[in-house]
Amino acid sequence: MKISPIILIVFVVSVSGCFTQKDFVAEYDFNYNAGFKRYKTYGFVENPSTDSTQFLKTIERTISSRLGSQGFRFQDEKPDLLVNYKIFYEEVKYRGYEQPNFDNWLQRQGFETVKKTEGEEEEEEKDPDKRTKEENYNNVKYTQNAGMLVIFVIDNKKGNTVWQGYTAAPFDYTSPDIQSDLTRATYRVMDQFRVLTRSF
């Protein structure tokens, strides 16, 4: 069977495109005492970062798009939630926590969550009696990384972090793909924050 050169070129380009796409694996931690039902509005912490303004706008647009699709409204003055973020371009020691699956925990607490997309793994807890016992904060240290994006969701009234998501990845600000890398990484992190507002 003879393969057309055009089909071969299309195949090679599409396969090489798959290899150049970075796969951002996101992790998260959350506060068991957060009042997720109360939150309806969000705003951004003024970021004193030295990163390019365009990078910050890319991250904020992606976060806004995701939160907006979940029913949250942007509010400049006294929002319920403040969102902050930080890009680390080099290896960083970061402490996270080993906790129950956020979706399952929210549903047990009576919260509505974003539906999982087709193909996503369901992480069901095997032992229902362990649920309350697992509500603790077991430290996990992340040191094997070449960079990281961290997003903090803060209860504006109480001033404490109620959720944080992060993905370890090398971010090269000189790369022509930095904007798309930041968009994909931000979306993957925010995709773990599946809380819907009551008004949604």
Side-chain angles (χ1 to χ4, degrees), residues 58 62 178-188:
T58 298
T62 308
I178 185 64
Q179 299 291 347
S180 58
D181 285 349
L182 285 173
T183 299
R184 283 197 308 276
T186 304
Y187 186 83
R188 286 300 297 270

Side-chain angles (χ1 to χ4, degrees), residues 81-100:
L81 294 172
L82 286 172
V83 181
N84 197 9
Y85 48 88
K86 174 73 178 160
I87 306 169
F88 296 95
Y89 294 100
E90 297 172 354
E91 183 176 312
V92 61
K93 291 181 182 177
Y94 195 77
R95 185 180 66 188
Y97 301 95
E98 184 182 323
Q99 295 180 288

Side-chain angles (χ1 to χ4, degrees), residues 5-20:
I6 295 173
I7 293 174
L8 186 60
I9 291 170
V10 169
F11 176 74
V12 169
V13 169
S14 63
V15 169
S16 65
C18 293
F19 290 123
T20 59

Side-chain angles (χ1 to χ4, degrees), residues 9-198:
I9 291 170
V10 169
F11 176 74
V12 169
V13 169
S14 63
V15 169
S16 65
C18 293
F19 290 123
T20 59
Q21 294 272 332
K22 289 182 184 170
D23 184 26
F24 296 100
V25 177
E27 299 287 339
Y28 58 84
D29 310 311
F30 60 96
N31 185 332
Y32 296 117
N33 297 318
F36 290 104
K37 286 184 181 176
R38 293 195 316 265
Y39 307 137
K40 296 180 181 178
T41 59
Y42 74 95
F44 289 99
V45 173
E46 191 169 329
N47 205 318
S49 173
T50 56
D51 293 321
S52 161
T53 305
Q54 189 57 40
F55 297 170
L56 303 183
K57 285 181 181 175
T58 298
I59 294 170
E60 288 187 10
R61 270 196 309 268
T62 308
I63 292 171
S64 291
S65 174
R66 181 65 192 186
L67 290 177
S69 72
Q70 292 169 224
F72 289 91
R73 295 184 326 273
F74 177 79
Q75 185 173 301
D76 216 8
E77 295 292 320
K78 297 183 180 177
D80 300 327
L81 294 172
L82 286 172
V83 181
N84 197 9
Y85 48 88
K86 174 73 178 160
I87 306 169
F88 296 95
Y89 294 100
E90 297 172 354
E91 183 176 312
V92 61
K93 291 181 182 177
Y94 195 77
R95 185 180 66 188
Y97 301 95
E98 184 182 323
Q99 295 180 288
N101 178 279
F102 188 46
D103 290 355
N104 295 340
W105 182 84
L106 284 170
Q107 289 166 4
R108 285 197 312 271
Q109 305 301 317
F111 296 101
E112 287 189 58
T113 60
V114 175
K115 299 274 188 281
K116 290 183 183 282
T117 56
E118 192 175 325
E120 277 191 280
E121 283 186 26
E122 291 286 339
E123 293 182 32
E124 296 298 332
E125 295 185 34
K126 296 174 184 174
D127 184 357
D129 295 331
K130 287 177 68 181
R131 289 175 181 167
T132 53
K133 293 177 195 171
E134 290 178 347
E135 291 187 5
N136 51 34
Y137 301 96
N138 297 321
N139 289 346
V140 178
K141 291 181 180 176
Y142 297 96
T143 53
Q144 300 299 319
N145 58 67
M148 186 174 270
L149 168 67
V150 184
I151 300 174
F152 305 95
V153 178
I154 302 160
D155 183 315
N156 192 18
K157 191 173 183 182
K158 294 183 178 178
N160 60 343
T161 301
V162 295
W163 186 91
Q164 62 181 3
Y166 36 91
T167 183
F171 293 103
D172 179 4
Y173 63 90
T174 62
S175 166
D177 298 325
I178 185 64
Q179 299 291 347
S180 58
D181 285 349
L182 285 173
T183 299
R184 283 197 308 276
T186 304
Y187 186 83
R188 286 300 297 270
V189 171
M190 291 307 296
D191 189 42
Q192 308 304 310
F193 185 76
R194 297 175 183 266
V195 180
L196 293 176
T197 65
R198 282 183 177 178

